Amino acid sequence: MLALEMYRSVAKTALGKVAGGRMPLLLTGAAAPLRMVTLEAPRIEHDGWARLRVSLSGICGSDLGMLSGRTSLYFQPLVSLPFVPGHEIVGELIDPCGDLEAGTRVVIDPVLTCAARGLEACEACARGETNRCSRITVGDISSGLQTGFCHDTGGGWSQQLSVHRSQLHVVPEGYSDEQALLAEPVACAVHTARRAAVRPGDRVLVSGAGAVGLLATLALRELTDAGEIVVVAKHAHQRELALQFGATEVVAPSETLRRIRRATSAFMIEPEMMAAPYLLGGVDVTVDAVGSKESLQTCLHATRAGGRVVLSGMPASADLSAAWFRELEVVGTYASSRGSGDFATALDLVGHDAMCRLAKTVAPYPLHRWREALDHAHSAGRLGTVKVAFDPRQTN
Amino acid sequence: MTRPGFVLEVDDRTPPLLVHEGLGFRLEEFPQGTRVIYPPESLPTVPDVEEAIRESLENPVDSEPLRELMFPGMRLTIAFDDLSLPLPTMKAPDIRGRIIEQVLTIAAEKGVDDVEIVAALALHRRMTDAEMRHIVGERVFRSFAPSGRLYNHDAEDRANLEHMGQTEKGEDVEINKRAATSDLLVYVNVNLVAMDGGHKSVGIGLASYKSIKHHHNAKTMVHSRSFMDHKHSEMHSSAWRMGRLIGEHVKVFQIETTLDNEVFGKPYDTLLKREWEWSLRDQATVLGLRRGLAVAPQKMRHKMFHDLRSNYGLTGITAGAVEPVHELTVQRVHQQQRVKVDGQSDVMVMGVPYLGPYNVNSTMNPILAACMGLGYYFNSYLRQPVVREGGVAILYHPLDEGFNTLTHPSYVDFYEEVLADTNDPALIGPKFEEQFATDPWYVHLYRTSNAYHGVHPFYMWYWIAHALDHLGDVIWVGGNPKAAARMGFRSATTLRDALEMASSTVGSSPSITYLRNPPHLLADVR
C-alpha cells in the first residue's frame, strides 16, 4: 500500500531544531523527514484489532510541528520510528471489529490506551481518563501515544491502518466524510472546554483562530455558560469564522492586550528593556490555541490573578513569571477523555451549522502530492483554509 | 501700519502657494480663480508689557482694583491656561508668568499668605515640571511647586472637587474645590482665538468630566455656529450658564490677554509672508527648508518644529469681571484675525500644520489632525462657513505621525475600536463615551502620568461633528489612505486628484477657497 512515512534522520532533525521555527516550509518540503513509500499494510494479530481503509486523514498542527522540527524532544520516547503519521481519520472497516461489521464507517479516537495494548487498565484508564494513560510505551504494540505516532498501527496518511475497537466511533448517518473527519479535533475541543472550567459569565480569551481555536470557541460557546469569548485572529476569514463559531469579539494579535484591558478595566504594565506588556486584571480564562511563545505569553499576560490558562496547542517555552506572580492555574488539555464522553459530544457538535459549513471547506490532497498538501497546511490561515487533509482514494 | 487680511484671486501670475502639511509644507499651484484668504499682519503690540499688566490690575473693568479685593487671611487661588495655548509655545518669559508675578506681588503687599496656583487643564494632560516652569517662570515655580502650592488641576480627584449646583438647564457645575472655596479666584488667560476665555476659562478649565460632558457632546457641537462667536455657540451658551452660577459662589477676577500673529520666529518667519512678496532670499530660505525637511528623518523634523518658540507680542490685556473683559478681548481678537469674505464656495482647502492644542511636545495623530482641520480651521468663521453646505473640504496632512501612548493612550483604542465600529459622532457618544471616561486605567494615567483623559478623543471627534454634518465630502491630500479610510474620509495624492474626486460632489469647475493658515484667521463670510 502507499503511505507517507516519517523516518529517523539525525541531520534533518538537527536542521529542524535550528531552522524549523524560521523556515517551516523548507522542512515540510525537501528537508522533511518524510517520504512516500510502499509498505505492507499493518496488521496486529491481537484481540480487538481490525484493518481500516482510510477515506480522509487530516493534517494537524502537531503533525506540522513534528515535521518542521519544532516539537519538543520530550516526545521522542513516546513514538516509534519509522511511523505513518495521521491521527485525524475517517475510514471504513475492512474486517469486522467486535460488534462492528466490516464496511462500517468510523472515526477513530487515536489515543492508544491500555485496552488497545492488551494491558489491564492503569489507574487513569480505569477512571476513564484515557488520554492520561500511563502505559503508552508498553504492551502488544510498540511505543506511541496515538495512532499516527506508532510504528505498528500505521497512520492515516496511508491507504490502510490497524485500529482497535476501543478507538472506534461509528459515524452517524447523514454525515459527510469531511464532517466525520472533524470529529477528532472537535473531541479535543470538547475536552478543552471541560478543562477550561468556565463559570457562568466568565470572560474567555481564545488565542488563535486556526482549527484548534475555532473548534475550542464552538465548544466553549455550546458547552459552557461563558460570557464574552474574545478570539485572537490574524486573517480576515478567520475573523468571520470565529464570529460564526460563537466569538463575541475578534481582535488582531497586536490589539489583544489593549482590547482585553479595555474590556476588563485592567491596568496595563509596560516593563522596560522591550519586555512584553502585561495586565493587572484581565479575563478569567484564556485558551492558547496556537502554541507559539507569543501566544502563550499573551495568554499568561491577559489572565486575571487566580485565573486559568489552558494549553490547547502544543506549547512553546515562555516566561512563567505571570503564572507565579498572579497565581494562575496553568492546565494542559491533551486529546480527549473517553470517560467523559467527549467523542459522543463531538459527534453531536459536528452537526452544528457552522461545522457543516466548515466541512465544505476541507481541502483534500492525494498522498503523492504531499509536499503541496503540507505547504498548504502551513499556510492555511493565510490562504483561508481551516483543515487540509489527505484522501488516499485519490490518484491524481 | 499693519495690513488687514485679504482675499486674493489666483491668476496666471500667482506663484505656487505655501500649504502646511504636518512636519513640512509644500508649494501648491492652485487652479485659476481660487480664492486665497490671507490672515492680517500683526497688530501693534503694547510698548511696555509690565506697565500694561500693572495698568490692567489697577484699573479693571467692572471691578475694584485687584489690590482692593485682597485682605490678610484670605484664600487666594490663581488659575492659568495650560500649554494648549498659545500655539506654538511662546518664547520665555510667558505672559502668564509675568502676570502671575504681579498678582503675587500685590498679594504679598496685602499680607495674603494662603495662595495656591492651579493649571486649568480640564481634561488635558498634566504638564511636566519643565512645561509648568516655562509658563509660570523660574521664580514662581521654585517658590510654589516644591511646597505643593503650584499644581495641575485634577478633574478626577473626587475629594478636591466641589459640586456647586445645576444651571437652569440641569447642567452640573463641578469645579476645583480650592478654586470654588476661595475668597478670590484670579484667572490668567491667553486668548489665541475668539473661542478662548470668558466663562470658558473657569467653567471648563477647572471643571470635571461630570460638568464638561454637558456641552462637550456631538449635539452641542453641531449646533455651535460658530465656536468663534460665543453668542451663536451652544457650547459657549452652556459655559456661560455655568460661569454665571460659579460667579454666585466665588469672586472671579479675570485677566485676559491677546497676542499678535507672530507665530513663526526665525528662520521660519518667511512662512508668514505672502508668496508674491517673497524676496530672492525668502525663496532661497523656503527652498532650503523644503529640501532639508525632505531628507530629514521624521524624528528630526519633529524636534525642529516642536522646539520652535514664537515671538508673540501682547496686543492687549484686560482685567476685571468676566463678561465685560471678554467682550473687549473678543473685539481685539477679531481685529487681529477677521477677514471679510464674500460668499461661500464649493470647496474649502486647508493645510494642517504640525501643531494643535493637544499635541504640544507630542505627536499629531490622525484624530488630532482631523480635529485641527475640521474642528478648528473649518470653524474659524463668523456668520457662515467658508464652504457651502454639501461642499467639500480638502485638507493636507500625511496622517502618519502615529499615536503617542504616553500622552494619548485612549486615542489608540478609540481609533482601533470605536472608529472601526462607527464614525458618526452622534452614535459614538451613547455607545462608548462613558466606558472610556470611567476606565480606571485611563483615569490612573491622567492623574499620575502625562496622559489626556480617557474621554478626550471623543471630544476631538465631536469637535468635527459640525463639519461632518455640513460637508458632502472630505479628502486628504497626501494622507495615509488607511488612516483616512478608518476615519471615514478619502485620500488623494495631489490637489488635482482631490478635485477630480470632489467633482462627483461639487462638479468639475467648483469655486475654491484656500484658508492660508497659520497664523490664525477668522473668515467673516457675508
Side-chain angles (χ1 to χ4, degrees), chain A residues 35-46:
Chain A
R35 60 194 170 202
M36 184 147 185
V37 292
T38 302
L39 295 174
E40 284 291 317
R43 189 154 196 163
I44 299 171
E45 302 294 346
H46 291 287

Side-chain angles (χ1 to χ4, degrees), chain B residues 215-454:
Chain B
H215 40 65
H216 276 58
N217 54 60
K219 192 177 169 197
T220 307
M221 298 294 183
V222 168
H223 291 96
S224 292
R225 314 273 175 94
S226 108
F227 292 126
M228 301 301 163
D229 180 353
H230 71 261
K231 290 172 183 163
H232 291 94
S233 161
E234 282 291 314
M235 184 187 73
H236 283 83
S237 301
S238 177
W240 253 243
R241 286 191 293 274
M242 292 182 175
R244 284 169 185 156
L245 194 148
I246 292 167
E248 292 169 13
H249 291 77
V250 59
K251 171 79 176 170
V252 179
F253 188 85
Q254 183 95 349
I255 306 168
E256 296 200 347
T257 58
T258 50
L259 306 176
D260 63 12
N261 261 348
E262 297 302 311
V263 295
F264 291 126
K266 286 184 186 308
Y268 306 103
D269 52 341
T270 302
L271 305 181
L272 296 176
K273 295 182 184 171
R274 295 161 187 177
E275 291 82 352
W276 67 91
E277 293 174 348
W278 283 348
S279 63
L280 280 175
R281 185 177 176 162
D282 291 327
Q283 291 177 38
T285 303
V286 170
L287 198 67
L289 274 173
R290 282 210 68 201
R291 289 273 160 83
L293 289 169
V295 296
Q298 177 155 308
K299 247 185 175 174
M300 187 185 286
R301 282 185 285 142
H302 188 274
K303 183 168 168 47
M304 277 168 61
F305 278 103
H306 282 263
D307 283 353
L308 195 154
R309 296 287 175 265
S310 296
N311 282 321
Y312 289 115
L314 184 70
T315 58
I317 174 168
T318 315
V322 177
E323 293 185 27
V325 163
H326 190 62
E327 284 304 319
L328 293 170
T329 303
V330 168
Q331 280 176 27
R332 276 202 306 275
V333 172
H334 283 185
Q335 197 182 350
Q336 175 62 85
Q337 296 177 357
R338 185 152 67 175
V339 186
K340 284 183 188 169
V341 178
D342 289 328
Q344 296 176 301
S345 58
D346 300 317
V347 175
M348 177 187 194
V349 182
M350 297 166 275
V352 178
Y354 70 98
L355 185 60
Y358 314 113
N359 74 311
V360 178
N361 300 325
S362 183
T363 55
M364 182 176 269
N365 60 55
I367 295 163
L368 290 176
C371 177
M372 193 63 194
L374 298 170
Y376 282 82
Y377 288 164
F378 173 87
N379 283 294
S380 283
Y381 69 83
L382 294 174
R383 300 171 201 270
Q384 54 185 342
V386 170
V387 59
R388 69 167 170 80
E389 191 163 2
V392 174
I394 295 176
L395 303 105
Y396 287 72
H397 192 276
L399 302 176
D400 69 351
E401 258 216 276
F403 292 88
N404 184 317
T405 51
L406 173 70
T407 53
H408 301 104
S410 65
Y411 278 67
V412 185
D413 293 333
F414 179 85
Y415 182 78
E416 290 189 351
E417 189 178 342
V418 178
L419 290 185
D421 190 66
T422 175
N423 304 113
D424 186 341
L427 298 178
I428 280 171
K431 190 166 178 186
F432 294 102
E433 183 185 310
E434 193 72 18
Q435 292 173 37
F436 275 67
T438 56
D439 185 302
W441 178 235
Y442 298 147
V443 169
H444 171 76
L445 293 176
Y446 162 79
R447 297 193 65 191
T448 61
S449 179
N450 298 103
Y452 280 85
H453 194 275

Side-chain angles (χ1 to χ4, degrees), chain A residues 249 254-259 261-270, chain B residues 405 409 412-413 416-418 432 435-436 438-442 444 486:
Chain A
E249 192 180 358
S254 61
E255 300 170 357
T256 308
L257 222 53
R258 282 205 318 276
R259 296 290 275 275
R261 192 212 67 68
R262 275 255 313 112
T264 61
S265 298
F267 277 33
M268 186 183 284
I269 306 298
E270 300 197 33
Chain B
T405 51
V412 185
D413 293 333
E416 290 189 351
E417 189 178 342
V418 178
F432 294 102
Q435 292 173 37
F436 275 67
T438 56
D439 185 302
W441 178 235
Y442 298 147
H444 171 76
R486 171 53 61 94

Side-chain angles (χ1 to χ4, degrees), chain A residues 198-222:
Chain A
V198 174
R199 300 166 309 173
D202 270 358
R203 280 198 172 99
V204 183
L205 172 72
V206 178
S207 178
V212 177
L214 290 172
L215 300 182
T217 303
L218 179 74
L220 286 163
R221 179 53 77 211
E222 295 295 320

